Amino acid sequence: MIKLDFRRADSTVIGEQNGLNIKQEFENYKERIAEIIADLNKRKDKPEQGLQWMNLGYSEETAWYVKEYAALVQNRFDNILVLGIGGSALGGLAVTHALLRPYWNLLSKEERNGYPRIFFLDNIEPDSMASLLEILDLKKTLVNVITKSGDTAETMAQYMIVKDMLEKELGDDYRKNIVATTDKRTGILRQISEQEGYKTFVVPDDVGGRFSVFSAVGLLPFALVGIDIDEITNGIKDMDLALKNTDIYNNIAAQNALIHFLSDIKNGKNITVMMPYSSRLQYVSDWFVQLWAESLGKGKNLQGENIQTGPTPIKALGATDQHSQMQLFNEGPNNKIINFIRVEEFHKNLEIPKIFEYTGIGYLGGKTMNDLLNAEADSTTASLSDYSRPTVTITLPKIDGYHIAQLLYMLEVQTAIAGALYNVDTFAQPSVEQSRNYIYALMGRAGYEESAKALQQKMSSVL
Ligand code: PA5
């Protein structure tokens, strides 16, 4: 199982002004935490609670359909192209980047064991999109268009371009190169998929985008590139079992949620840094940033009062950002809590040759990159403590499907518990919806004429 070490967020290590008396706080909050965990587990099967993501690890049906389809299309495609944005892309990107052999898309087909390359188009910048579409042989590309709402402008614009190109290249057969993941009943993509006869997968009800990585949103791309879905679901289930424990002393998601919440409201640590010491985990930070920001950054509390709350997540990467952001983390405002993610055992052991022995870099010879990375992580942790900065460390025994699933699921539960502590609606995103409506208005969608006029006025008053 993955582990959490929070000793360096404690006042005995970093002082009372910046650290917490964690033992005392666990005592103070143990009943509240037990209540929150029991409540989440009680509500998770009920409709309209936004909690169906807690059941995804148990959906044998989805896993079965995903595996069946992946087996059916295996060998037919050289590329998977995922179209999606936000929660419809970040989980897939994080997990495939972590689990596939690094530089996957540069490997030969044999080196990829016959599985396709995978590309995520999660932005609409025309240069990048056009260039990728010029490179890909669309005949050999399976396009997975993912949008829960089925009408996100960015994703649907991408889909329209790609569909048109596919149709021009493949004629009527183009439909076999498209698979849609969307809501079961509603949305324009559902409607189009039915008219066009695409193969479809479902984003279940009550699973928000940022909590959807273990639905077909993530599982389908994983299976298409040969990632073992069972290993993933086993990781979720084992972590879920551990996190059902209502005792804060035995629940790492609750511990980390409480430490972050109290570090923010008591000690002003309103910035959460996510800093894995592994390039393979770098997009886990992007995924976490969305999860933490969109879930906790809220203008109103559950009683409808204005509160404007929420910690600001920042991503960093060890060791790279020791030479970038660390100066600020150590000496700048003491308003951050830093999450390290460490990996006990890497798949490879890379030895540094014993050369230049009689120079200032001779000490590196004979050591491994693994030793160096660990030493760097240790030294960063120690120096942050020297500067009285709170840190926590999550440790993965190794990077595999089982442990990555545990990590992501633990962070999801942590977010849900933190949302309850902040007293906000974790699963809503009213201002994302507002900016969607502005886009519809500016791009001339029918029904948004009044908003378009109001917006034009607002914009010209600033210009
Ligand atoms: O977490 C969320 O709900 C959002 O970030 C969505 O994932 C994002 O806006 C994309 O939405 P959709 O899947 O409807 O295209």
Side-chain angles (χ1 to χ4, degrees):
M1 300 292 279
I2 64 170
K3 289 180 288 201
L4 173 73
D5 183 346
F6 48 75
R7 286 172 297 180
R8 288 173 186 274
D10 197 275
S11 52
T12 52
V13 178
I14 56 168
E16 271 176 27
Q17 212 183 324
N18 297 295
L20 299 166
N21 183 340
I22 293 179
K23 211 167 146 207
Q24 185 59 54
E25 299 296 4
F26 281 6
E27 264 318 287
N28 297 345
Y29 275 84
K30 68 179 182 197
E31 273 142 33
R32 176 74 187 115
I33 289 290
E35 208 177 84
I36 293 171
I37 297 169
D39 178 61
L40 288 170
N41 282 288
K42 201 165 75 199
R43 288 192 294 122
K44 75 181 174 60
D45 298 319
K46 297 190 181 149
E48 287 167 29
Q49 303 292 316
L51 288 169
Q52 277 300 323
W53 55 271
M54 294 180 79
N55 294 321
L56 294 174
Y58 302 92
S59 176
E60 283 173 21
E61 207 187 354
T62 308
W64 193 89
Y65 281 123
V66 159
K67 284 191 267 184
E68 187 207 33
Y69 177 72
L72 195 78
V73 297
Q74 206 189 337
N75 301 323
R76 278 194 33 215
F77 298 103
D78 288 342
N79 310 303
I80 306 298
L81 175 60
V82 177
L83 307 179
I85 198 162
S88 287
L90 288 168
L93 182 59
V95 174
T96 53
H97 188 80
L99 298 183
L100 294 177
R101 200 171 136 189
Y103 304 102
W104 177 257
N105 288 346
L106 298 181
L107 303 177
S108 68
K109 197 164 182 174
E110 292 68 47
E111 287 165 328
R112 286 183 270 116
N113 298 322
Y115 288 105
R117 303 181 197 93
I118 186 158
F119 300 87
F120 288 83
L121 262 186
D122 67 341
N123 202 355
I124 48 172
E125 193 253 327
D127 291 350
S128 312
M129 181 167 175
S131 300
L132 180 61
L133 293 174
E134 277 159 26
I135 294 166
L136 295 181
D137 175 0
L138 285 181
K139 287 195 186 86
K140 302 289 278 171
T141 301
L142 178 65
V143 178
N144 184 195
V145 49
I146 309 178
T147 161
K148 180 179 166 64
S149 61
D151 64 1
T152 299
E154 294 90 338
T155 307
M156 292 312 278
Q158 289 175 332
Y159 156 74
M160 287 157 83
I161 291 172
V162 174
K163 185 247 177 200
D164 194 51
M165 289 174 76
L166 275 172
E167 201 170 357
K168 282 185 181 134
E169 279 211 31
L170 288 160
D172 269 357
D173 261 359
Y174 78 92
R175 292 180 179 85
K176 293 186 188 135
N177 289 43
I178 298 178
V179 52
T181 309
T182 190
D183 189 84
K184 203 187 322 174
R185 293 171 292 271
T186 62
I188 298 169
L189 184 62
R190 170 57 59 191
Q191 219 178 308
I192 293 176
S193 301
E194 273 160 24
Q195 279 160 11
E196 295 263 310
Y198 300 153
K199 173 75 187 169
T200 60
F201 286 87
V202 168
V203 190
D205 293 342
D206 298 318
V207 176
R210 57 192 175 277
F211 288 87
S212 69
V213 54
F214 299 125
S215 71
V217 169
L219 295 189
L220 180 61
F222 305 161
L224 289 169
V225 290
I227 290 172
D228 185 346
I229 298 294
D230 295 332
E231 223 195 323
I232 301 264
T233 50
N234 286 339
I236 309 168
K237 284 190 275 199
D238 286 355
M239 185 46 76
D240 184 52
L241 199 65
L243 300 183
K244 278 197 163 67
N245 197 327
T246 55
D247 174 13
I248 189 161
Y249 293 95
N250 286 303
N251 186 317
I252 58 172
Q255 292 170 349
N256 216 22
L258 184 65
I259 288 167
H260 279 73
F261 170 69
L262 293 177
S263 295
D264 177 5
I265 60 154
K266 283 190 146 182
N267 294 343
K269 316 301 176 203
N270 55 13
I271 294 179
T272 307
V273 179
M274 182 53 80
M275 187 167 182
Y277 267 79
S278 159
S279 300
R280 298 180 77 163
L281 301 180
Q282 78 182 94
Y283 293 110
V284 169
S285 303
D286 290 66
W287 171 85
F288 173 77
V289 162
Q290 188 211 9
L291 181 72
W292 203 236
E294 239 175 50
S295 301
L296 305 179
K298 296 288 151 73
K300 291 190 192 297
N301 65 14
L302 288 173
Q303 287 68 44
E305 293 153 348
N306 290 330
I307 47 163
Q308 296 182 340
T309 194
T312 301
I314 294 188
K315 52 184 184 166
L317 179 66
T320 311
D321 283 314
Q322 286 175 211
H323 298 268
S324 163
Q325 301 180 82
M326 198 46 68
Q327 168 65 31
L328 172 79
F329 295 169
N330 272 333
E331 289 186 31
N334 197 340
N335 55 0
K336 302 169 196 68
I337 171 160
I338 293 157
N339 288 249
F340 294 114
I341 307 180
R342 292 187 61 169
V343 179
E344 269 170 4
E345 196 188 313
F346 286 92
H347 293 265
K348 307 228 184 229
N349 210 25
L350 194 58
E351 199 163 318
I352 306 166
K354 279 193 181 168
I355 52 177
F356 303 119
E357 273 180 78
Y358 305 106
T359 72
I361 55 171
Y363 70 96
L364 292 169
K367 313 271 177 25
T368 64
M369 280 304 206
N370 313 49
D371 298 332
L372 182 58
L373 191 67
N374 282 329
E376 302 225 2
D378 287 344
S379 66
T380 305
T381 318
S383 83
L384 283 160
S385 297
D386 290 346
Y387 283 97
S388 304
R389 314 284 149 145
T391 64
V392 295
T393 301
I394 301 168
T395 304
L396 271 68
K398 57 181 168 180
I399 297 181
D400 57 17
Y402 180 73
H403 294 103
I404 289 291
Q406 286 194 2
L407 173 67
L408 267 55
Y409 187 72
M410 177 261 183
L411 291 170
E412 288 180 337
V413 176
Q414 173 186 313
T415 304
I417 296 172
L421 290 167
Y422 277 101
N423 188 30
V424 294
D425 185 353
T426 315
F427 308 107
Q429 53 283 325
S431 66
V432 179
E433 306 307 332
Q434 188 192 359
S435 84
R436 268 175 194 269
N437 293 339
Y438 280 177
I439 295 167
Y440 296 151
L442 287 177
M443 295 298 285
R445 184 171 177 175
Y448 290 81
E449 295 78 3
E450 287 307 310
S451 317
K453 263 191 231 155
L455 249 179
Q456 298 291 4
Q457 263 167 13
K458 276 190 214 175
M459 286 164 64
S460 55
S461 73
V462 177
L463 301 171

